[in-house]
């Protein structure tokens, strides 16, 4: 019964006209008519001057903005903010919680590969290149940015520091709540970033590491976050029935 109620609730929360407009405006007709991107009510389209590219064949609802974690926060108070002036690349089964912000400048390319979940209040700012690997999970209120927004200059040498540097997050990463992933941050596959961490460099570390702290450092090796089927199998083995 509750599954039916939840499906109806999500149906009524979908901004159908806005979703159709977004798909047909941003994609070729043959893809847009399939409605691969669904927008929940409260999605704000600040700019659609850029380009949307699908990394997988279009299918209905394979990308969703504003539905994930809606039982954690009041969705009506946390709209989605989309400002797409550059290029947005999306793989299949990408899910963005209420409160997500995507701001892509005209020079930027923001890429989300397959099977990515973004927690509420998370913000992405892309002026150069941000690449998020497959099977990555973001906690609440994470900030990802490849730019400092303003130039900085050394008072003695008069050297001007670069405004941007690419961000690349490896496959199967887990980004803890309220972490900051700054310009130049790169991580290998199977990295865990602990909640509240500050990451601002390329981490030349082995896979299966835990980063934590400000600035972030390796705190533990040989560890990763279980996802999807693996986590379900563990729960069944432990006799748990957590919804």
């Amino acid at each position: 019964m509750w599954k039916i109620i939840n499906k109806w609730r999500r149906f009524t929360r979908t901004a159908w006209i806005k979703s159709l407009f977004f798909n047909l405006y941003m994609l070729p007709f043959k893809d847009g008519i399939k409605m691969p991107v669904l927008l929940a009510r409260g999605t704000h389209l600040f700019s659609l001057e850029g380009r949307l590219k699908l990394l997988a064949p279009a299918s209905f609802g394979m990308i969703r903005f504003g539905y994930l974690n809606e039982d954690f926060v009041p969705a009506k108070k946390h709209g989605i903010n989309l400002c797409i002036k550059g290029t947005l690349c999306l793989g299949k089964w990408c899910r963005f919680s209420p409160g997500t912000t995507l701001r892509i400048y005209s020079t930027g390319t923001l890429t989300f590969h397959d099977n990515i979940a973004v927690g509420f209040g998370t913000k992405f700012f892309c002026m150069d290149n941000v690449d998020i690997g497959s099977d990555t999970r973001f906690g609440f209120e994470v900030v990802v940015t490849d730019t400092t927004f303003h130039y900085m200059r050394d008072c003695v040498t008069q050297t001007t520091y670069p405004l941007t540097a690419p961000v690349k997050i490896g496959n199967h990463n887990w980004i803890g709540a309220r972490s900051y992933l700054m310009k130049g941050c790169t991580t290998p596959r199977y990295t865990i970033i602990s909640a509240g961490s500050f990451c601002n460099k390329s981490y030349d570390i082995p896979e299966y590491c835990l980063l934590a702290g400000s600035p972030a450092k390796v705190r533990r090796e040989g560890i990763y976050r279980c996802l999807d089927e693996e986590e379900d199998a563990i729960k069944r083995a432990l006799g748990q029935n957590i919804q």
Side-chain angles (χ1 to χ4, degrees):
M1 182 63 181
W2 279 111
K3 290 183 178 180
I4 296 175
I5 293 174
N6 285 333
K7 286 183 178 180
W8 174 251
R9 177 170 53 84
R10 293 188 179 183
F11 177 86
T12 58
R13 283 203 54 238
T14 301
W16 292 105
I17 295 177
K18 187 177 291 185
S19 295
L20 180 61
F21 167 78
F22 180 87
N23 283 275
L24 294 178
Y25 186 82
M26 298 296 292
L27 294 169
F29 182 81
K30 64 181 180 64
D31 292 330
I33 198 63
K34 296 178 183 178
M35 297 274 284
V37 182
L38 293 181
L39 307 177
R41 295 182 185 276
T43 299
H44 303 286
L45 304 177
F46 287 98
S47 175
L48 299 179
E49 299 174 24
R51 176 175 175 237
L52 174 62
K53 179 181 179 182
L54 298 182
L55 303 180
S59 62
F60 177 79
M62 72 181 200
I63 301 154
R64 302 182 181 185
F65 287 93
Y67 303 90
L68 184 68
N69 289 327
E70 59 186 344
D71 54 339
F72 287 8
V73 293
K76 293 182 179 179
K77 295 183 180 180
H78 297 273
I80 296 284
N81 300 313
L82 300 180
C83 181
I84 307 171
K85 295 184 178 181
T87 302
L88 174 61
C89 303
L90 294 170
K92 61 184 178 182
W93 201 230
C94 291
R95 298 158 291 164
F96 300 86
S97 297
T100 298
T101 293
L102 304 186
R103 184 175 182 85
I104 310 169
Y105 294 81
S106 59
T107 54
T109 299
L110 175 57
T111 302
F112 296 92
H113 293 276
D114 296 342
N115 192 28
I116 291 173
V118 176
F120 75 84
T122 293
K123 297 175 173 59
F124 296 87
F125 301 102
C126 179
M127 196 176 290
D128 184 350
N129 190 287
V130 175
D131 188 284
I132 309 299
S134 299
D135 302 315
T136 291
R137 299 290 185 269
F138 289 84
F140 309 143
E141 299 177 345
V142 176
V143 174
V144 181
T145 177
D146 65 0
T147 178
T148 52
F149 299 100
H150 305 285
Y151 284 102
M152 294 183 290
R153 178 172 288 163
D154 188 287
C155 295
V156 177
T157 65
Q158 294 300 301
T159 301
T160 301
Y161 296 101
L163 183 66
T164 67
V167 172
K168 185 172 178 59
I169 305 304
N171 296 341
H172 213 115
N173 274 213
W174 182 20
I175 316 299
R178 295 184 175 174
S179 293
Y180 284 79
L181 279 55
M182 311 303 289
K183 72 173 188 177
C185 175
T186 65
T187 62
R189 298 189 310 159
Y190 293 95
T191 298
I192 297 175
I193 297 178
S194 179
S197 297
F198 184 85
C199 305
N200 63 345
K201 67 178 184 179
S202 178
Y203 291 90
D204 186 16
I205 59 176
E207 298 176 358
Y208 304 99
C209 281
L210 168 67
L211 291 171
S214 180
K217 298 179 181 179
V218 174
R219 306 294 181 177
R220 185 171 177 181
E221 298 185 20
I223 187 173
Y224 73 100
R225 187 211 175 184
C226 302
L227 286 180
D228 304 335
E229 292 86 359
E230 188 176 4
E231 187 168 84
D232 291 339
I234 293 173
K235 290 177 181 178
R236 288 194 298 270
L238 295 175
Q240 296 178 345
N241 184 24
I242 301 174
Q243 300 297 324

